Amino acid sequence: MVFRNVIVCHMVPGSEQIVGGVFGHYDQATRPQDLGVIGRYLLSHHDLYIHVIEREQDPRISGQTRGLPAFQKIAEEIGPYVTPYPRYWKNPSDSVAKEFYHWAPEGEPPADTTLTVIVGRIKPGAEPDVARVFTESDAGSLPADLGVTGRWLYSIDDVYVHLLEQESSAAEATRDRHGDKPAFGKVMQDLGPYIEPYRPDRWQGPQDSVAGVFYRWQAQD
């Protein structure tokens, strides 16, 4: 099982190459795997920076909560481009989104999976309602129809982050075709009172809510 943490910040649009370069340097110069980190995704969505950290062990148990030994140096170098998002921010831990729902089918997950990160805005206090919608949907056939191997929902301030893990072949086959399934349309309808696009003025369909990966690292040992 992979344990994931999600960090959400503001990011200066167009600074992806600089921020990715900083992590690329330190991921090569240090060994994040010595702190239990086995992978990371850096993504952007409009003015948002999303950092998905993957670990083999639950950091709440292992005590390894930082992704790189050079944490402070990285923070200084990306500081001009990446800034706190939450209005209540006081320290780095306030940038960690809170998981409020997780689902995975029984059995061992397939070796070849694809992770998609979906972003939106969530109505304050709506996490239980959103979790209920997905609990009802995940009890049906839709996850199997879409090859879903895991789902994690997070929130931070008014930002909603949905990590959707699918079998790679299924992800490719169903990309841009979710709307063909009535069950998917019902989920979107049921989420309507609670979730909206992060930038409604630029949203034309579900694919416009998908964050773009600009840096990916995976431990080789």
Side-chain angles (χ1 to χ4, degrees):
M1 175 181 288
V2 174
F3 293 89
R4 293 185 171 104
N5 292 113
V6 177
I7 297 169
V8 178
C9 297
H10 280 296
M11 187 170 75
V12 176
S15 61
E16 287 89 346
Q17 185 173 356
I18 297 172
V19 174
V22 171
F23 277 94
H25 169 74
Y26 286 104
D27 279 331
Q28 295 301 318
T30 66
R31 287 180 53 84
Q33 54 266 53
D34 291 342
L35 291 179
V37 175
I38 60 173
R40 78 175 80 252
Y41 293 82
L42 301 184
L43 308 98
S44 61
H45 186 69
H46 299 297
D47 66 333
L48 288 180
Y49 160 92
I50 301 164
H51 183 172
V52 180
I53 303 172
E54 299 180 322
R55 294 181 170 89
E56 289 183 313
Q57 292 182 301
D58 187 340
R60 292 173 296 184
I61 297 174
S62 68
Q64 299 288 14
T65 58
R66 292 189 173 182
L68 278 174
F71 177 84
Q72 190 58 44
K73 291 182 180 179
I74 293 172
E76 291 173 359
E77 292 187 31
I78 69 173
Y81 312 101
V82 177
T83 55
Y85 183 89
R87 289 163 290 185
Y88 50 78
W89 194 92
K90 293 182 179 179
N91 58 65
S93 64
D94 291 333
S95 289
V96 179
K98 305 299 186 294
E99 181 184 312
F100 66 90
Y101 178 79
H102 171 218
W103 176 88
E106 295 182 359
E108 288 294 319
D112 188 13
T113 61
T114 296
L115 184 70
T116 301
V117 178
I118 301 161
V119 183
R121 290 192 189 272
I122 186 168
K123 181 180 178 181
E127 287 85 353
D129 295 296
V130 174
R132 172 182 51 79
V133 171
F134 278 104
T135 298
E136 294 173 357
S137 174
D138 288 335
S141 63
L142 187 61
D145 292 344
L146 299 179
V148 176
T149 58
R151 186 191 314 281
W152 297 260
L153 306 183
Y154 300 81
S155 65
I156 181 170
D157 205 337
D158 64 342
V159 173
Y160 160 82
V161 180
H162 178 171
L163 303 190
L164 177 65
E165 187 180 76
Q166 295 172 277
E167 296 178 39
S168 295
S169 58
E172 184 66 28
T174 60
R175 188 168 289 129
D176 299 325
R177 295 183 55 201
H178 299 104
D180 296 345
K181 298 184 179 296
F184 178 78
K186 183 179 186 307
V187 171
M188 296 294 289
Q189 182 178 358
D190 291 347
L191 290 176
Y194 316 113
I195 302 293
E196 67 175 15
Y198 183 74
R199 286 289 302 271
D201 57 318
R202 298 190 183 182
W203 193 88
Q204 296 183 333
Q207 280 301 115
D208 293 328
S209 293
V210 176
V213 178
F214 65 88
Y215 176 77
R216 174 80 171 105
W217 173 83
Q218 194 167 19
Q220 300 302 311
D221 58 3

